[in-house]
Amino acid sequence: MTDSKKVRRTSGKRERLAAAAAQVLHAQGVAQTTLAEIAQAAEVPVGNVYYYFKTKDDLVEAAIDAHAENLRAMIAALDELPTPADRLKALLAGWVERRELTARYGCPTGTLASELDKRADGLDRSIATVMRALLDWVEQQFRAMGHPDAREPAVALIASYQGISLLTNTFRDPDLMTVEARRLERWIDSLAEGPTTGDDDARE
């Protein structure tokens, strides 16, 4: 749902480690990732990792924070667009732009949430907070469009994205993401024209 910014040498070591953790965890999953692999991706000596993060779980939490920061930056950019429909369609365009990555590894936030859900250490609630922030923002856009029950289409949009991310990843077919995004764009346009038309379109 969000993707980590490219790790840059000019960033501080802690920030580089957090960004690298988000990238490596997306590609490999929590269980398969070692601190040494994250350190290598961040171009930080592995011995320095423990200065900032005592355990791998601390790095997982930092990765979640990186997802949250990326989401805030993305929302700030989308909010510059003139209409809620423009913002929602730009959100879709961003997902489509990353379709190749999704085909290889799935949705960055969704796959992490699915893995952490099997644990009982509270990290599942942390990643849920990130997903809820996006859901709340999408709901605000539908409310600004005048939809009487903005939560309903917001859930439908996020659920559609998570579903198509799973299919895109399962079949390794990025075109699936493109096709679904076009359908969702038409749906958003119909909702922008009026709630009744939008509800009819969503049932098609």
Side-chain angles (χ1 to χ4, degrees):
M1 190 170 298
T2 65
D3 66 334
S4 301
K5 296 176 182 177
K6 186 176 181 180
V7 181
R8 297 174 182 169
R9 288 284 299 161
T10 54
S11 303
K13 287 182 180 179
R14 192 185 192 286
E15 291 74 17
R16 295 213 309 272
L17 284 165
Q23 291 179 357
V24 178
L25 292 175
H26 181 209
Q28 299 182 182
V30 175
Q32 303 300 319
T33 297
T34 66
L35 290 177
E37 288 170 326
I38 293 172
Q40 182 179 17
E43 298 184 37
V44 172
V46 68
N48 289 174
V49 174
Y50 296 98
Y51 179 80
Y52 300 99
F53 304 102
K54 301 305 180 186
T55 67
K56 187 166 75 172
D57 282 354
D58 291 339
L59 261 172
V60 173
E61 191 158 12
I64 294 172
D65 290 342
H67 281 298
E69 179 58 33
N70 291 336
L71 177 61
R72 284 190 289 270
M74 180 184 73
I75 286 175
L78 293 174
D79 281 340
E80 295 296 318
L81 297 174
T83 71
D86 289 335
R87 295 168 206 143
L88 291 172
K89 288 193 286 186
L91 176 66
L92 294 178
W95 289 338
V96 170
E97 184 179 340
R98 296 187 294 273
R99 64 191 181 279
E100 298 287 347
L101 193 63
T102 302
R104 291 184 65 188
Y105 305 123
C107 167
T109 313
T111 54
L112 185 57
S114 179
E115 188 170 4
L116 295 179
D117 180 61
K118 299 174 178 63
R119 299 167 47 151
D121 52 13
L123 289 173
D124 57 333
R125 293 190 294 275
S126 296
I127 193 66
T129 299
V130 178
M131 297 189 76
R132 185 175 296 110
L134 178 61
L135 179 62
D136 290 344
W137 179 83
V138 172
E139 180 180 358
Q140 291 170 12
Q141 307 315 305
F142 283 116
R143 185 177 297 111
M145 288 164 57
H147 199 281
D149 184 7
R151 194 68 169 185
E152 180 179 318
V155 169
L157 181 63
I158 300 301
S160 294
Y161 167 68
Q162 288 299 330
I164 200 60
S165 293
L166 176 60
L167 290 177
T168 297
N169 178 231
T170 300
F171 296 117
R172 300 294 193 270
D173 185 354
D175 289 340
L176 292 174
M177 179 74 71
T178 303
V179 172
E180 177 64 1
R182 288 172 183 162
R183 185 191 72 83
L184 289 171
E185 284 183 354
R186 294 193 300 270
W187 177 58
I188 290 167
D189 285 337
S190 69
L191 284 176
E193 294 169 1
T196 300
T197 302
D199 290 344
D200 290 342
D201 186 77
R203 287 192 290 267
E204 290 180 359

